[in-house]
Amino acid sequence: MLYLSLLLCICITIFYFFYRRKIYIKTSSMAIIMAMGISIQGVSSSFIDFNTTLENVFIVILLSIWFSFLFSFIMSIFTNKFIDIHYKNFINRFGMGTWVAGTSVCGILIYTHFSELSYLSHIILYLNICLWFLYILISLRTLFQLVRNQVLSNVNGILLLTTVSTQSIVLLLNTVYENTPKLVSSFLIGVGLCFYIIGTFFIIWRYIRLPWSIQKDWHNTNCILHGALSITGLACFFSNADYHIVDFLWLSAFIMFLLIEIMEIFRLISRVKYIGIKAGILTYNVSQWSRIFTFAMFYTLTYKKFSPSSPFHLVEHFILALGGWIIIALILVELSLCLEQIYRNFSESPVRSRETDISNVQ
């Protein structure tokens, strides 16, 4: 009852603030929920001895933010802004995948930490399956439009949220129903892998066929190239797939992780060289949460499959020894940048339009 009261108080406060200021959240903002949720569920709990009450308070705050984001999305429908903010841009539509994945994470958190409210996780599962199905239809239509209209210049890893959202359904399904038929999980995992192949093809095609620079045209969301493999491996693990499949997906994710993060290092050096440390590194962008999510997902997969008999157990041990602290540090940095950006937006422009679009907070 205490946690429910806290949840209601926070939600009502944020709802009122969003409504008064007409705040419309950027489509991909649910990546914050994804990153924080998997960090609580799969990272911090594996190496930090959290006080149960403190951990539950963190989860309640996260759930409050999730409800508030949903409120903002619904508000955009009733104010006729949904199309302009979330649907008009082809590439931006794929960001709706964070709505599915973020909702799955929240459903898992409720089920595992608030057993008395487990029935809510069942409701969330069914609603989320409907949302996922609608998202997949939108994504398929958009993929055809990208091909027909040759809109490939902005293609990036955000396309792979189709895979992430699909595998998140597998994780929620196997959490809520431990005896989920293997055929159902295998089908969904297969669908997710098909989208991974298609999305990766589009990304490779974009970088081969069109001119680009690592500073301007390499996107934060490209890290989902390894994050999508990690969540697929985790979905296989929770659906009791053959351990060889899980090992193969972990190795694939690890190789992709190295390739993508090497590119990120070169991009970081280039940005610092041309636009400085502040603009190049210490500037908030909501897409940066996708990196934290992918890091946390790879860490969680490594933690779940870790075995002393694994041929890569030394690498896995190294990842588990340092990875958690790196992820926590990244979260703290990102939170500070986010809060700084919010403060700047509302302090530098005291006389603002009543309609504030957080999708412009980069």
Side-chain angles (χ1 to χ4, degrees), residues 24 82 105 131 144 168 186 189 192 202 216 234-235 255 317 333 350:
Y24 301 102
F82 184 89
V105 168
L131 177 61
F144 283 117
S168 77
S186 298
I189 290 171
F202 271 86
K216 296 180 180 179
L234 202 61
I255 293 171
H317 180 75
V333 170

Side-chain angles (χ1 to χ4, degrees), residues 187-232:
F187 171 75
L188 289 172
I189 290 171
V191 170
L193 284 172
C194 287
F195 276 114
Y196 184 85
I197 294 170
I198 294 170
T200 302
F201 173 80
F202 271 86
I203 295 168
I204 294 175
W205 182 268
R206 180 261 178 270
Y207 286 113
I208 289 179
R209 296 297 299 269
L210 299 175
W212 63 283
S213 70
I214 195 167
Q215 178 190 341
K216 296 180 180 179
D217 302 304
W218 185 264
H219 297 266
N220 291 323
T221 50
N222 286 342
C223 63
I224 304 178
L225 280 162
H226 62 76
L229 288 174
S230 295
I231 194 173
T232 301

Side-chain angles (χ1 to χ4, degrees), residues 33-44 62 105 109 234 292-293 296-297 300:
I33 307 299
M34 293 162 55
M36 296 294 290
I38 189 60
S39 296
I40 293 173
Q41 182 69 17
V43 179
S44 60
L62 188 65
V105 168
L109 288 172
L234 202 61
I292 296 175
F293 169 77
M297 189 57 68
T300 303

Side-chain angles (χ1 to χ4, degrees), residues 17-18 20-25 338-359 361:
F17 181 71
F18 277 16
R20 290 287 296 176
R21 298 302 298 259
K22 296 295 184 292
I23 293 178
Y24 301 102
I25 299 297
C338 179
L339 293 174
E340 178 190 16
Q341 184 66 56
I342 292 173
Y343 175 77
R344 184 184 300 118
N345 282 359
F346 287 100
S347 64
E348 292 182 355
S349 303
V351 181
R352 294 170 63 92
S353 166
R354 286 179 59 84
E355 295 188 354
T356 304
D357 185 354
I358 287 187
S359 67
V361 177

